[in-house]
Amino acid sequence: MLGNLRPTEIVLILVVILLLFGAKKLPDMARSLGKSARILKSEAKAMKKDDEAAKTAETPTTASAPADPAPQAAPRTIQAAPGDVTSSRPVTEPNRTAQS
């Protein structure tokens, strides 16, 4: 559907968006969209890394000595932009339990 758009239709859509939101709000909207995309990308990477770590942890070990429990890691935080600490928040992970 989007591949069928001609240049005049794209310009018309952009003009309507400009009229609806105004020229002052468009940069803010684009900035927040970029931040959301960065957050989504970083969380997808973190989930992939967690899955890979879980798969390697599930493989049986041949060592006869019992393994030490893993040290507790600091809670992860999500940051909207590098260096932007005002919008960072801790990630709650209810599935993980504390190991003593």
Side-chain angles (χ1 to χ4, degrees):
M1 180 176 163
L2 292 176
N4 297 335
L5 291 177
R6 292 177 292 208
T8 55
E9 293 170 340
I10 293 173
V11 170
L12 181 65
I13 290 170
L14 292 175
V15 168
V16 169
I17 290 173
L18 184 63
L19 289 174
L20 284 176
F21 296 109
K24 291 186 179 183
K25 292 218 178 205
L26 285 179
D28 293 334
M29 290 173 53
R31 192 174 299 116
S32 68
L33 182 65
K35 285 181 182 180
S36 299
R38 278 193 298 269
I39 290 171
L40 181 64
K41 185 177 177 181
S42 68
E43 285 301 309
K45 276 185 178 179
M47 288 175 59
K48 189 180 283 188
K49 185 186 277 187
D50 287 346
D51 287 344
E52 289 173 0
K55 285 181 184 177
T56 58
E58 289 176 0
T59 58
T61 59
T62 58
S64 60
D68 292 333
Q72 292 293 326
R76 295 185 323 163
T77 59
I78 298 174
Q79 288 186 333
D84 184 16
V85 295
T86 58
S87 61
S88 63
R89 60 182 171 83
V91 177
T92 58
E93 296 176 353
N95 295 339
R96 296 188 180 191
T97 58
Q99 296 177 354
S100 299

